[in-house]
Every structure is written in structure tokens, then in C-alpha cells.
Amino acid sequence: MKTLAFSGRLAGAIDCDVHNAVPSVKVLYPYLSEYWQDFMAEAGHPSLEPNYYPVNSAIAARPEARGAGGPPGADPDALISLVLDQTGAKRAILNCLYGVQALYNEYWAGAMATAVNDWLADQWLDRDPRLSASIIVAPQNPAAAVEEIERRAADSRFVQVLLPARTQMPLGRRYYWPIYEAAARHKLPVCIHAGGGGGGNPPTPVGWPTYYVEEYLAVAQGFQGQLVSLLAEGVFAKVPDLKVVFAESGFTWLPSLLWRLDKNWKGLRREVPWVDRLPSEIIREHLKITLQPLDEPDELRRLVETIDHIQSDQVLLFSSDYPHWQFDEEGPLPMALSPEAERNLLFANAERTYRFHA
Ligand code: ZN
């Protein structure tokens, strides 16, 4: 079994993006009403598990995460061993990606979100106190999403609300504000993770691409659009306590976006008077970004330069993105990081962002 090459340096880290998986749709049936059980059984609905780790694509997932009779990430023992025991990390946040947000039936999506959260609490969070989780919600139905946030908020093992990066509308639109208000009310960040159905929208701003490589590269563009939308529509002014975490977004695009925003805000700010100071200042206050996949060039010293360009070492959160296989062999923590910057990256920024249970 491979171990993480930099394990010694991860002692005490908080891993802010770990993916567990629903092994089979059948495990969710006990958490669904008779109505939804009948609905799914009659239609023969298979799993909603996204095909993130094609079986014949060897590099899509860490090999240790495969072969347990379900998709990678379905085996709690393997996940806990690799992500926590072998690295010395002290906590991991489970982001269970299960296709709920891609359903067009918003009522079914809401029921599935509730079922996944119940299953997470029973089968994962009860198993190891080092595990925390995101609350799965269906953004297709903001009222149901708010109900779900209210239902989970008292359980401090749920530490944030999970939304997909590809949505029917830009995430700054007023339609989504009740979700942000509910999250902030309970001091829960909103994590926007790569993926989602997009409500029929193409993944690139210029239309439907032919190849996966085009879609994969466009992920960063989508995140930039969502960030500008949150800022320009006034979400950070309306919900000043809201924290937003971007996961699996990459981050090397952030400095140039902040430069463009600040420059163009100076000419266009009359249109958005609620953006009442430099956009870069507002974004640095509200935004965190998980580390993996690291889209720096090979020379990891560039991470230091990027942090310098962001003008803050308090934006990045450590993540392994397990079971994606982009976190091996090379240590993602350049020695050039100052001890304080490394401490912030590994756990201090996360502790400032989340309300963790004891
Ligand atoms: Zn991820």
C-alpha cells in the first residue's frame, strides 16, 4: 500500500475536502419515506453516484480506495486509515458527492439530500469523532435546503453546507439567498464544490465542448463566474457573516481575477454600490479555497508566490481530495512556506472557518 509521501508534515492537519461515497442506493432506503422508496423501486432508479472514477481509468482514484465492493470512498475503514491514521491529520471533512443536485425533480432531490445526511450521521460520523461532514442540500429547492440546514444545525458534526459549482443560475442570485442566510445564522460556511448538473447549462461560457479536457479546464472559469456573481449581486453585503469555501476549484486564477475586479470596479462601481470597497478586500474576508488539486507548476515555490499575490496566507485550506489520485508522491507543502503560513494552511485557517465539535 502506498502511503502519503509527506505524512510526517501533516500531523495535526485538518483535511477540508475528502470524498466518501454511497456504496449502493439501497443503503439509503431506510432513510426514505415509503413514497420515495416506491417511486425509486417502480422506476428502477439506479444509484445517483456520479461516474467520477471510471473503473478503467487507473489514475482517477487512489488504488487503495478501489475494490471494496463499491465506488472509491465507500469503505470507511480504508478512508479513515489513509486520510487520518497514516497522515496524522486530526480531522477530515466529508463532502459526499451523490448527484442529488443534478435531479430535475426538486422534491425527490430534497428527499435524497435528507436521506444522505441521515446515512452520513449513522454510518460515518458515529464511527469516528475525527470525521465531520457537509450538509447535503438540493439547491433546486431553496426552501427544502433551508429546512435541511435547520434540521442539521444542532448536530455540530455537520460543519458546512455543500453546494455544487455548476448551478441553474449564478449563485449570487437572490433565489439562493435563503440558503446563505440560514447557513450564516448557524455559523456554517457554504462550500461550493466542483461539479453539479448545471441545470442544462454548458460547463464552458462558450457552449458545449467536445472533450472532457475542455470541461475539466473550464471548472476554474465557472468558479470565477460564481465568485463575481456572489460579489456583484451583493451576497456578502446582505449576509456579512457568510463564509464561502471553494473546493476543487484550483486557486491560481484568483490573483489575476482580483486584479481585474479591483481595476474594473473603480470604473463601474456606481452600478453595484453595495460593493463599497475594493473587491479584493471583501473576497479575502469571505473566501477560503481548498488546496487540491494543486494547479501550480512543478516548482512548488510558486505556491509561495501565489499566496503573496493573494496578499493573504489565510485563504487556503489544506485538503487531500481523497480518493482523487493527485495527492501522492510529491509533497504539496513547499519548504519555502514560513512556519506561520504552513500552520495556517494545515489547520489554523480551518479552525478559524469552522465550528468543530470537540
Ligand atoms: Zn473534492
Short mmCIF file of all heavy atoms in Angstrom, two decimals, residues 5-6 9-10 251 291-292 294-308 313 316 318-319 327 329-346:
data_model
loop_
_atom_site.label_atom_id
_atom_site.label_comp_id
_atom_site.label_asym_id
_atom_site.label_seq_id
_atom_site.Cartn_x
_atom_site.Cartn_y
_atom_site.Cartn_z
N ALA A 5 3.47 10.55 0.87
CA ALA A 5 4.91 10.76 0.96
C ALA A 5 5.31 11.82 1.98
O ALA A 5 6.40 11.82 2.48
CB ALA A 5 5.45 11.15 -0.42
N PHE A 6 4.37 12.70 2.30
CA PHE A 6 4.72 13.82 3.17
C PHE A 6 4.04 13.67 4.51
O PHE A 6 3.79 14.65 5.20
CB PHE A 6 4.25 15.12 2.51
CG PHE A 6 2.95 14.94 1.86
CD1 PHE A 6 1.79 15.07 2.59
CD2 PHE A 6 2.89 14.56 0.53
CE1 PHE A 6 0.58 14.83 2.00
CE2 PHE A 6 1.68 14.33 -0.06
CZ PHE A 6 0.52 14.46 0.67
N ARG A 9 4.66 15.63 7.76
CA ARG A 9 4.37 17.05 7.85
C ARG A 9 2.88 17.34 8.01
O ARG A 9 2.50 18.49 8.12
CB ARG A 9 4.92 17.76 6.62
CG ARG A 9 6.42 17.58 6.49
CD ARG A 9 6.95 18.32 5.30
NE ARG A 9 6.87 19.76 5.49
CZ ARG A 9 6.90 20.64 4.50
NH1 ARG A 9 6.97 20.21 3.26
NH2 ARG A 9 6.83 21.93 4.74
N LEU A 10 2.07 16.30 7.98
CA LEU A 10 0.63 16.53 8.09
C LEU A 10 0.08 16.28 9.48
O LEU A 10 -1.13 16.33 9.68
CB LEU A 10 -0.11 15.64 7.08
CG LEU A 10 0.14 15.98 5.62
CD1 LEU A 10 -0.74 15.13 4.72
CD2 LEU A 10 -0.15 17.45 5.36
N PHE A 251 -6.77 27.47 -7.55
CA PHE A 251 -6.73 28.82 -6.97
C PHE A 251 -5.75 29.74 -7.66
O PHE A 251 -5.66 30.92 -7.35
CB PHE A 251 -6.40 28.76 -5.47
CG PHE A 251 -5.12 28.02 -5.19
CD1 PHE A 251 -3.91 28.67 -5.23
CD2 PHE A 251 -5.14 26.66 -4.93
CE1 PHE A 251 -2.73 27.99 -5.00
CE2 PHE A 251 -3.96 25.97 -4.69
CZ PHE A 251 -2.75 26.63 -4.73
N LEU A 291 -6.86 23.26 -1.06
CA LEU A 291 -5.56 23.21 -1.74
C LEU A 291 -5.53 22.35 -3.00
O LEU A 291 -4.92 22.70 -4.00
CB LEU A 291 -4.52 22.67 -0.75
CG LEU A 291 -3.08 22.65 -1.19
CD1 LEU A 291 -2.55 24.07 -1.35
CD2 LEU A 291 -2.22 21.88 -0.19
N GLN A 292 -6.18 21.17 -2.92
CA GLN A 292 -6.09 20.22 -4.04
C GLN A 292 -7.30 20.32 -4.95
O GLN A 292 -8.42 20.55 -4.46
CB GLN A 292 -5.98 18.80 -3.49
CG GLN A 292 -4.69 18.50 -2.78
CD GLN A 292 -3.52 18.34 -3.72
OE1 GLN A 292 -3.72 18.10 -4.91
NE2 GLN A 292 -2.32 18.47 -3.21
N LEU A 294 -3.82 20.85 -6.80
CA LEU A 294 -2.85 21.94 -6.83
C LEU A 294 -2.52 22.26 -8.29
O LEU A 294 -1.99 21.42 -9.00
CB LEU A 294 -1.60 21.46 -6.09
CG LEU A 294 -0.55 22.48 -5.72
CD1 LEU A 294 -1.02 23.35 -4.58
CD2 LEU A 294 0.73 21.77 -5.31
N ASP A 295 -2.86 23.45 -8.74
CA ASP A 295 -2.62 23.75 -10.15
C ASP A 295 -1.42 24.67 -10.34
O ASP A 295 -1.37 25.45 -11.28
CB ASP A 295 -3.88 24.31 -10.83
CG ASP A 295 -4.52 25.45 -10.03
OD1 ASP A 295 -3.94 25.86 -9.00
OD2 ASP A 295 -5.59 25.92 -10.43
N GLU A 296 -0.47 24.54 -9.43
CA GLU A 296 0.79 25.26 -9.60
C GLU A 296 1.68 24.50 -10.58
O GLU A 296 1.55 23.29 -10.71
CB GLU A 296 1.54 25.33 -8.25
CG GLU A 296 0.80 26.08 -7.18
CD GLU A 296 0.90 27.58 -7.36
OE1 GLU A 296 1.63 28.01 -8.26
OE2 GLU A 296 0.23 28.30 -6.61
N PRO A 297 2.60 25.20 -11.21
CA PRO A 297 3.63 24.48 -11.97
C PRO A 297 4.46 23.62 -11.02
O PRO A 297 4.33 23.74 -9.80
CB PRO A 297 4.49 25.58 -12.57
CG PRO A 297 3.68 26.82 -12.47
CD PRO A 297 2.75 26.64 -11.29
N ASP A 298 5.30 22.77 -11.58
CA ASP A 298 6.04 21.81 -10.78
C ASP A 298 6.80 22.43 -9.62
O ASP A 298 6.87 21.88 -8.54
CB ASP A 298 7.03 21.02 -11.66
CG ASP A 298 6.27 20.03 -12.51
OD1 ASP A 298 5.10 19.78 -12.19
OD2 ASP A 298 6.84 19.56 -13.50
N GLU A 299 7.38 23.58 -9.89
CA GLU A 299 8.16 24.18 -8.81
C GLU A 299 7.22 24.71 -7.74
O GLU A 299 6.53 25.68 -7.95
CB GLU A 299 9.01 25.34 -9.33
CG GLU A 299 9.87 24.96 -10.49
CD GLU A 299 9.74 26.00 -11.58
OE1 GLU A 299 10.49 26.97 -11.53
OE2 GLU A 299 8.89 25.83 -12.46
N LEU A 300 7.18 24.00 -6.64
CA LEU A 300 6.19 24.33 -5.62
C LEU A 300 6.44 25.67 -4.95
O LEU A 300 5.60 26.19 -4.25
CB LEU A 300 6.12 23.21 -4.58
CG LEU A 300 5.38 21.97 -5.10
CD1 LEU A 300 5.61 20.80 -4.16
CD2 LEU A 300 3.90 22.25 -5.23
N ARG A 301 7.63 26.24 -5.22
CA ARG A 301 7.86 27.56 -4.65
C ARG A 301 6.84 28.55 -5.19
O ARG A 301 6.59 29.60 -4.60
CB ARG A 301 9.28 28.03 -4.94
CG ARG A 301 9.57 28.21 -6.40
CD ARG A 301 11.03 28.62 -6.64
NE ARG A 301 11.35 28.55 -8.06
CZ ARG A 301 11.01 29.46 -8.94
NH1 ARG A 301 10.33 30.52 -8.57
NH2 ARG A 301 11.33 29.33 -10.22
N ARG A 302 6.22 28.22 -6.31
CA ARG A 302 5.23 29.13 -6.87
C ARG A 302 4.01 29.27 -5.97
O ARG A 302 3.26 30.23 -6.07
CB ARG A 302 4.82 28.69 -8.27
CG ARG A 302 5.95 28.67 -9.25
CD ARG A 302 5.49 29.04 -10.66
NE ARG A 302 6.59 28.89 -11.60
CZ ARG A 302 7.48 29.85 -11.83
NH1 ARG A 302 7.38 31.00 -11.21
NH2 ARG A 302 8.46 29.64 -12.70
N LEU A 303 3.79 28.29 -5.12
CA LEU A 303 2.69 28.41 -4.16
C LEU A 303 2.92 29.63 -3.27
O LEU A 303 2.00 30.37 -2.95
CB LEU A 303 2.58 27.14 -3.31
CG LEU A 303 1.52 27.14 -2.21
CD1 LEU A 303 0.13 27.36 -2.77
CD2 LEU A 303 1.57 25.82 -1.43
N VAL A 304 4.18 29.82 -2.88
CA VAL A 304 4.52 30.98 -2.05
C VAL A 304 4.22 32.26 -2.82
O VAL A 304 3.66 33.22 -2.28
CB VAL A 304 6.00 30.91 -1.64
CG1 VAL A 304 6.35 32.09 -0.74
CG2 VAL A 304 6.29 29.60 -0.93
N GLU A 305 4.57 32.27 -4.11
CA GLU A 305 4.32 33.47 -4.91
C GLU A 305 2.82 33.73 -5.04
O GLU A 305 2.37 34.87 -4.97
CB GLU A 305 4.95 33.30 -6.31
CG GLU A 305 6.46 33.28 -6.27
CD GLU A 305 7.06 32.87 -7.62
OE1 GLU A 305 6.30 32.73 -8.61
OE2 GLU A 305 8.28 32.66 -7.67
N THR A 306 2.05 32.66 -5.20
CA THR A 306 0.60 32.86 -5.34
C THR A 306 -0.01 33.40 -4.06
O THR A 306 -0.84 34.30 -4.09
CB THR A 306 -0.08 31.53 -5.73
OG1 THR A 306 0.55 31.02 -6.90
CG2 THR A 306 -1.56 31.73 -6.02
N ILE A 307 0.43 32.83 -2.93
CA ILE A 307 -0.07 33.35 -1.64
C ILE A 307 0.30 34.82 -1.51
O ILE A 307 -0.48 35.65 -1.05
CB ILE A 307 0.51 32.50 -0.48
CG1 ILE A 307 -0.16 31.12 -0.48
CG2 ILE A 307 0.33 33.20 0.86
CD1 ILE A 307 0.44 30.14 0.51
N ASP A 308 1.48 35.16 -1.99
CA ASP A 308 1.92 36.54 -1.97
C ASP A 308 1.01 37.41 -2.83
O ASP A 308 0.61 38.51 -2.44
CB ASP A 308 3.37 36.57 -2.51
CG ASP A 308 4.12 37.77 -2.00
OD1 ASP A 308 3.87 38.15 -0.84
OD2 ASP A 308 4.92 38.34 -2.77
N ASP A 313 -2.12 34.77 3.69
CA ASP A 313 -1.88 33.33 3.86
C ASP A 313 -3.04 32.70 4.64
O ASP A 313 -2.91 31.62 5.19
CB ASP A 313 -0.53 33.06 4.54
CG ASP A 313 -0.48 33.61 5.96
OD1 ASP A 313 -1.51 34.11 6.45
OD2 ASP A 313 0.61 33.54 6.58
N LEU A 316 -6.09 29.79 1.95
CA LEU A 316 -6.04 28.38 1.55
C LEU A 316 -6.25 27.44 2.73
O LEU A 316 -5.75 27.67 3.83
CB LEU A 316 -4.70 28.07 0.88
CG LEU A 316 -4.43 28.81 -0.43
CD1 LEU A 316 -3.06 28.42 -0.99
CD2 LEU A 316 -5.52 28.54 -1.46
N PHE A 318 -5.97 23.31 3.81
CA PHE A 318 -5.38 22.04 3.40
C PHE A 318 -6.47 21.05 2.99
O PHE A 318 -7.53 20.97 3.62
CB PHE A 318 -4.54 21.44 4.52
CG PHE A 318 -4.10 20.05 4.21
CD1 PHE A 318 -3.11 19.84 3.27
CD2 PHE A 318 -4.72 18.95 4.78
CE1 PHE A 318 -2.73 18.55 2.91
CE2 PHE A 318 -4.35 17.67 4.43
CZ PHE A 318 -3.34 17.46 3.50
N SER A 319 -6.22 20.30 1.93
CA SER A 319 -7.13 19.21 1.52
C SER A 319 -6.33 18.16 0.78
O SER A 319 -5.32 18.45 0.17
CB SER A 319 -8.25 19.74 0.61
OG SER A 319 -7.70 20.14 -0.64
N PHE A 327 -2.67 13.38 -5.10
CA PHE A 327 -2.09 13.78 -3.83
C PHE A 327 -1.17 12.67 -3.37
O PHE A 327 -1.44 11.97 -2.43
CB PHE A 327 -3.22 14.00 -2.84
CG PHE A 327 -2.78 14.57 -1.53
CD1 PHE A 327 -2.13 15.78 -1.48
CD2 PHE A 327 -3.03 13.90 -0.36
CE1 PHE A 327 -1.75 16.31 -0.27
CE2 PHE A 327 -2.65 14.43 0.85
CZ PHE A 327 -2.01 15.63 0.89
N GLU A 329 3.11 10.97 -3.91
CA GLU A 329 4.48 11.13 -4.40
C GLU A 329 5.06 12.48 -3.98
O GLU A 329 5.97 12.54 -3.17
CB GLU A 329 4.57 11.00 -5.93
CG GLU A 329 3.86 9.77 -6.51
CD GLU A 329 4.46 8.46 -6.05
OE1 GLU A 329 5.57 8.49 -5.49
OE2 GLU A 329 3.82 7.43 -6.24
N GLU A 330 4.58 13.55 -4.55
CA GLU A 330 5.15 14.86 -4.26
C GLU A 330 4.42 15.50 -3.10
O GLU A 330 3.21 15.54 -3.06
CB GLU A 330 5.01 15.78 -5.49
CG GLU A 330 5.77 15.30 -6.70
CD GLU A 330 7.27 15.38 -6.49
OE1 GLU A 330 7.70 16.24 -5.70
OE2 GLU A 330 7.99 14.60 -7.10
N GLY A 331 5.16 16.02 -2.18
CA GLY A 331 4.53 16.75 -1.09
C GLY A 331 4.04 18.10 -1.58
O GLY A 331 4.75 18.79 -2.30
N PRO A 332 2.82 18.48 -1.23
CA PRO A 332 2.29 19.76 -1.72
C PRO A 332 2.67 20.93 -0.83
O PRO A 332 2.18 22.02 -1.02
CB PRO A 332 0.79 19.53 -1.68
CG PRO A 332 0.61 18.64 -0.50
CD PRO A 332 1.84 17.78 -0.42
N LEU A 333 3.52 20.71 0.14
CA LEU A 333 3.87 21.79 1.04
C LEU A 333 5.33 22.18 0.83
O LEU A 333 6.24 21.52 1.30
CB LEU A 333 3.67 21.35 2.50
CG LEU A 333 2.26 20.93 2.86
CD1 LEU A 333 2.21 20.46 4.29
CD2 LEU A 333 1.31 22.08 2.64
N PRO A 334 5.57 23.24 0.09
CA PRO A 334 6.96 23.62 -0.19
C PRO A 334 7.65 24.07 1.09
O PRO A 334 7.05 24.71 1.95
CB PRO A 334 6.80 24.79 -1.16
CG PRO A 334 5.44 25.33 -0.89
CD PRO A 334 4.61 24.17 -0.48
N MET A 335 8.90 23.71 1.16
CA MET A 335 9.65 24.07 2.36
C MET A 335 9.74 25.58 2.51
O MET A 335 9.98 26.09 3.60
CB MET A 335 11.06 23.47 2.30
CG MET A 335 11.08 21.96 2.23
SD MET A 335 10.08 21.17 3.50
CE MET A 335 11.07 21.51 4.95
N ALA A 336 9.51 26.29 1.41
CA ALA A 336 9.68 27.74 1.46
C ALA A 336 8.57 28.45 2.22
O ALA A 336 8.68 29.63 2.52
CB ALA A 336 9.75 28.29 0.04
N LEU A 337 7.49 27.74 2.53
CA LEU A 337 6.44 28.39 3.31
C LEU A 337 6.98 28.72 4.70
O LEU A 337 7.67 27.91 5.31
CB LEU A 337 5.25 27.45 3.48
CG LEU A 337 4.20 27.37 2.38
CD1 LEU A 337 3.10 26.40 2.80
CD2 LEU A 337 3.60 28.73 2.09
N SER A 338 6.65 29.88 5.19
CA SER A 338 7.07 30.22 6.55
C SER A 338 6.33 29.32 7.53
O SER A 338 5.26 28.79 7.21
CB SER A 338 6.72 31.68 6.84
OG SER A 338 5.31 31.81 6.98
N PRO A 339 6.90 29.11 8.72
CA PRO A 339 6.21 28.25 9.70
C PRO A 339 4.78 28.73 9.97
O PRO A 339 3.87 27.92 10.11
CB PRO A 339 7.09 28.37 10.95
CG PRO A 339 8.44 28.74 10.43
CD PRO A 339 8.21 29.57 9.21
N GLU A 340 4.58 30.03 10.00
CA GLU A 340 3.23 30.53 10.28
C GLU A 340 2.29 30.27 9.10
O GLU A 340 1.12 29.88 9.28
CB GLU A 340 3.28 32.03 10.58
CG GLU A 340 1.94 32.51 11.13
CD GLU A 340 1.88 34.01 11.32
OE1 GLU A 340 2.92 34.67 11.17
OE2 GLU A 340 0.77 34.51 11.59
N ALA A 341 2.79 30.45 7.88
CA ALA A 341 1.96 30.19 6.71
C ALA A 341 1.61 28.71 6.63
O ALA A 341 0.48 28.33 6.27
CB ALA A 341 2.69 30.64 5.44
N GLU A 342 2.56 27.84 6.97
CA GLU A 342 2.29 26.40 6.93
C GLU A 342 1.25 26.01 7.99
O GLU A 342 0.35 25.22 7.73
CB GLU A 342 3.60 25.63 7.16
CG GLU A 342 3.40 24.13 7.00
CD GLU A 342 4.72 23.38 6.94
OE1 GLU A 342 5.64 23.84 6.23
OE2 GLU A 342 4.85 22.35 7.63
N ARG A 343 1.37 26.62 9.15
CA ARG A 343 0.42 26.37 10.23
C ARG A 343 -0.98 26.82 9.80
O ARG A 343 -1.98 26.13 10.02
CB ARG A 343 0.91 27.16 11.46
CG ARG A 343 0.24 26.88 12.74
CD ARG A 343 0.97 27.62 13.89
NE ARG A 343 0.13 27.63 15.06
CZ ARG A 343 -0.83 28.50 15.29
NH1 ARG A 343 -1.06 29.45 14.43
NH2 ARG A 343 -1.56 28.41 16.38
N ASN A 344 -1.06 27.99 9.19
CA ASN A 344 -2.35 28.48 8.70
C ASN A 344 -2.94 27.52 7.68
O ASN A 344 -4.12 27.20 7.72
CB ASN A 344 -2.19 29.87 8.08
CG ASN A 344 -2.11 30.96 9.14
OD1 ASN A 344 -2.59 30.78 10.25
ND2 ASN A 344 -1.49 32.08 8.79
N LEU A 345 -2.10 27.10 6.74
CA LEU A 345 -2.57 26.21 5.69
C LEU A 345 -3.04 24.88 6.25
O LEU A 345 -4.09 24.35 5.86
CB LEU A 345 -1.44 26.00 4.68
CG LEU A 345 -1.70 25.01 3.54
CD1 LEU A 345 -2.82 25.53 2.64
CD2 LEU A 345 -0.44 24.82 2.71
N LEU A 346 -2.28 24.31 7.16
CA LEU A 346 -2.59 22.96 7.62
C LEU A 346 -3.80 22.89 8.55
O LEU A 346 -4.59 21.96 8.46
CB LEU A 346 -1.38 22.36 8.35
CG LEU A 346 -0.23 21.89 7.45
CD1 LEU A 346 0.92 21.37 8.30
CD2 LEU A 346 -0.71 20.81 6.49
#
